[in-house]
Amino acid sequence: MKLGFEEAQTSFTSGAQTARVLTERWVADWMYCVNCSVPRLSQFPNNRPVADFFCPNCSDQFEVKSTKKAIGSRVVDGAYATKIERLRSDTNPNLLLLGYDAKAREVRNVCIVPKHFFTPEIIERRPPLGPNARRAGWVGSNILLGKVPDAGRIFVLRDGVPAQRDDVLAKWQQTLFLRQAGGNARGWLIEVIKVVERLGRSDFALDDVYAFEQHLAALYPGNNNIRPKIRQQLQVLRDNGYLEFTGRSHYRLRNGGS
């Protein structure tokens, strides 16, 4: 994996245009599909809503967001209505975040958020553009990356060091079962995954998760049976290989949850 950018064949007056061309060229040249390991992604025609690349083998789609700043907890995205509508679609794209060093002209970080971690709760509606704006009334969105658990942030490249491909693919497969869950069921599973991560250890007890009962009740005020719901979600995570039941209401994260 080469980290440096190839020289652009066309000159642009806009720095943003130049960055887009350079980063998209890098993705096209060096990014493999984390879903099926095909060595190259294909690029959609320009100006396609939401997605930028797709896998020619498994058809997974990827939206690329690049930044010369550190990847933060909030990512500026496109039209809010388009994003929410796409969340309900089977072709909702995965998010590929690319951080680059403009001075060194090289990629430093690549993090992928699988599409099954996208729920309406992590899409923030931005205020409409003012009446004097060129697109007056247009409503954009932000992706609240801080609400995505660590299990949903898969680093292909971190601080200039590529991750082992087998490790990337294994982490991707670890949560792929979430794609089969309906919206509300998936939301519950993700919130329980986040609670387990907050415990900060691989082995834990059911009572450790029960300690977050009030937190989960606040997220789901219509549910009056939080503890049974917690047990149900832990069972689903166990049945899908994310957790291992070790006996006497104790669990273990498989592969350390990494």
Side-chain angles (χ1 to χ4, degrees), residues 20 177 185:
R20 179 181 59 78
F177 66 91

Side-chain angles (χ1 to χ4, degrees), residues 137-210:
W138 183 82
V139 178
S141 64
N142 294 317
I143 299 170
L144 302 179
L145 197 61
K147 291 190 174 184
V148 178
D150 289 342
R153 306 182 199 188
I154 302 176
F155 277 88
V156 176
L157 178 71
R158 192 196 293 262
D159 297 328
V161 179
Q164 292 292 324
R165 185 178 297 201
D166 286 347
D167 292 341
V168 171
L169 297 176
K171 186 169 183 179
W172 177 274
Q173 290 294 323
Q174 206 170 30
T175 61
L176 200 57
F177 66 91
L178 290 172
R179 287 193 181 184
Q180 309 306 317
N184 188 60
R186 183 154 45 94
W188 259 103
L189 288 167
I190 290 172
E191 291 302 330
V192 171
I193 287 173
K194 288 161 69 174
V195 165
V196 171
E197 287 184 354
R198 287 174 65 178
L199 296 175
R201 55 186 183 275
S202 296
D203 293 270
F204 62 93
L206 178 60
D207 284 344
D208 295 326
V209 185
Y210 280 167

Side-chain angles (χ1 to χ4, degrees), residues 114-130:
K115 66 180 184 179
H116 43 270
F117 282 94
F118 278 81
T119 60
E121 289 74 23
I122 73 166
I123 307 301
E124 180 180 57
R125 185 180 188 274
R126 298 209 308 266
L129 295 181

